[in-house]
Amino acid sequence: RGVGSGFILSADGFIMTNAHVVEGAEDVIVTLTDKRELKARIVGADKRSDVAVVKIDVTGLPFVKIGDVNRLKVGEWVMAIGSPFGLDNTVTAGIVSAKQRDTGDLLPLIQTDVAINPGNSGGPLINLRGEVVGINSQIYSRSGGFMGISFAIPIDEATRVAEQLRANGRVIRGRIGVQIGQVTKEVAESIGLGQPRGALVTGVEKDQPAEKAGVEAGDIIVKVDGKPVDKSGDLPRMVGGLKPGSKATLQVYRRGGVKDLNVTIAEFEAERPTRRAAAEPGGSAPQVAKSSLGITVSDLTDALKRELRVRGGVRVDAVDGAAARAGLREGDVILSIDNTEIADSKQFTAAASKVEKAKAVSVLVRRGEWTNYLVIRPTR
């Protein structure tokens, strides 16, 4: 048994709440303010956005007015209505602390200092005009109780999800088949990107739209259809909003330059686990002497290149000094140094010898199914 909150969207009994409120429920009972208890059916729930729609068979219900999130300002007073700890129709108030707060969820959230506790989930966040501007969804807490920071799903995003749930019973999102990571300040500076921006492609799924479009691990996606990708969390939201089957243009930063790639959007489905590539090369690969970076490498076998789906690179056999402190490990595969693509151990040795001793060097590294940049800093 569990208790959550919700609000009525239309006179014919459609109600919005959080997906985690109804998750796993065999029966959903809705209690109205006039004390009527009605059995509801789940129209649809979307775990990625944490939005759900349920339906009760009643007509003539009062319903909420939806507000404009774009008009919402930081510092503006808002209030929440819900059932914290089962105390129904409890009203709490506070101010908007931040908008577009990136918490790692699919949607950017509204941060407030409105008191939210267990049972408030799914209830409305309301502005001073009496309009719903968000769904109270989660809190930040070290104790399990309210600590002055709460989060709400913006109502415009939630409404788009709810419309799809009512029409299809599920949400249709676009995907291109990449794993992404954050672009840090030191990586951006070391590869010539300047300011940290975009989404670093750490992996490209086989036979998916990104691979077919020519996206490579190590690329940084900086624009989608001309719209800037400011941070990595923006990319899944932007791509997710595109219609499957439609065309889009990705601008990627690759080895010091930008390139436009045309991609056909696929439909997002449940994520499949990726198989970890073998680290050990088959056969006897030629060994080379330790480079000036403190790294000993060997050539990749053709079989390992096929397995990793890379054109070239070298395997790290031993590492110490600054490279080890940067996080490089035995078994890693180095794909590039300072934006120079590495084909084999001979080219690696030549590129490493040109690195200035007093300068930080960026190294693009493949580890299992993931690709990321490491910055090797000189010993001080």
Side-chain angles (χ1 to χ4, degrees):
R1 297 177 65 88
V3 178
S5 304
F7 50 96
I8 302 170
L9 294 173
S10 58
D12 56 351
F14 283 96
I15 295 170
M16 188 181 287
T17 185
N18 281 144
H20 76 261
V21 169
V22 297
E23 184 178 6
E26 295 179 2
D27 295 299
V28 177
I29 305 297
V30 171
T31 303
L32 301 178
T33 53
D34 61 9
K35 304 304 180 184
R36 280 184 290 173
E37 291 190 354
L38 303 163
K39 190 168 183 177
R41 64 179 176 88
I42 300 173
V43 175
D46 180 54
K47 291 177 66 174
R48 285 178 62 81
S49 62
D50 200 17
V51 174
V53 175
V54 302
K55 175 74 165 64
I56 53 177
D57 293 325
V58 183
T59 57
L61 292 171
F63 54 91
V64 299
K65 183 178 180 181
I66 302 298
D68 184 356
V69 176
N70 294 321
R71 294 178 60 189
L72 192 67
K73 292 182 172 61
V74 173
E76 181 176 336
W77 281 92
V78 285
M79 67 179 184
I81 304 178
S83 302
F85 306 110
L87 302 169
D88 60 332
N89 300 314
T90 296
V91 180
T92 53
I95 62 168
V96 176
S97 305
K99 293 177 64 178
Q100 300 285 319
R101 179 68 77 195
D102 192 345
T103 61
D105 293 316
L106 179 67
L107 303 176
L109 302 179
I110 301 168
Q111 179 184 330
T112 75
D113 65 354
V114 179
I116 300 295
N117 285 290
N120 271 116
S121 292
L125 183 72
I126 300 173
N127 62 20
L128 291 183
R129 291 179 291 277
E131 302 163 335
V132 176
V133 292
I135 306 176
N136 299 311
S137 179
Q138 54 185 266
I139 62 172
Y140 175 84
S141 177
R142 292 180 177 175
S143 65
F146 177 65
M147 293 184 68
I149 297 177
S150 53
F151 299 100
I153 302 165
I155 196 61
D156 56 345
E157 302 280 3
T159 299
R160 280 193 282 271
V161 172
E163 287 172 351
Q164 288 204 52
L165 291 176
R166 291 176 64 173
N168 309 309
R170 64 187 183 95
V171 179
I172 299 173
R173 292 190 178 91
R175 73 187 301 269
I176 58 174
V178 293
Q179 290 90 35
I180 58 171
Q182 184 181 0
V183 180
T184 64
K185 184 174 183 291
E186 62 178 4
V187 165
E189 290 175 350
S190 67
I191 64 175
L193 185 62
Q195 294 296 321
R197 59 191 175 95
L200 170 62
V201 177
T202 59
V204 182
E205 294 180 25
K206 188 176 181 180
D207 298 327
Q208 293 301 309
E211 185 187 59
K212 294 174 182 176
V215 177
E216 299 177 3
D219 286 350
I220 296 175
I221 300 175
V222 293
K223 287 184 180 180
V224 177
D225 281 342
K227 298 176 181 176
V229 180
D230 294 324
K231 53 186 181 298
S232 60
D234 293 341
L235 184 67
R237 296 166 190 154
M238 296 168 77
V239 173
L242 298 175
K243 186 177 180 181
S246 64
K247 306 283 186 181
T249 301
L250 305 177
Q251 186 179 93
V252 302
Y253 181 87
R254 179 186 299 170
R255 291 187 285 278
V258 293
K259 188 173 184 177
D260 287 338
L261 302 174
N262 296 317
V263 62
T264 301
I265 305 300
E267 183 176 343
F268 184 90
E269 298 174 354
E271 293 183 358
R272 297 170 297 174
T274 54
R275 186 173 64 89
R276 183 174 176 84
E280 292 295 332
S284 55
Q287 302 293 317
V288 298
K290 182 189 294 186
S291 73
S292 58
L293 296 175
I295 308 168
T296 303
V297 301
S298 60
D299 289 330
L300 300 180
T301 63
D302 291 338
L304 188 54
K305 287 178 185 177
R306 287 194 298 270
E307 189 172 0
L308 297 176
R309 302 196 306 277
V310 295
R311 293 187 298 270
V314 291
R315 182 186 184 275
V316 176
D317 294 319
V319 58
D320 61 18
R325 289 193 296 274
L328 200 66
R329 303 177 191 167
E330 181 184 347
D332 287 348
V333 174
I334 296 176
L335 303 176
S336 74
I337 296 178
D338 270 352
N339 292 330
T340 300
E341 192 171 7
I342 300 300
D344 53 28
S345 56
K346 185 177 179 181
Q347 189 178 5
F348 171 82
T349 304
S353 66
K354 296 177 182 177
V355 172
E356 298 177 25
K357 291 184 178 180
K359 177 178 172 288
V361 56
S362 64
V363 180
L364 184 61
V365 176
R366 175 73 175 264
R367 180 176 296 162
E369 289 288 340
W370 303 93
T371 306
N372 209 343
Y373 280 99
L374 296 178
V375 179
I376 302 174
R377 298 192 172 280
T379 303
R380 299 190 183 280

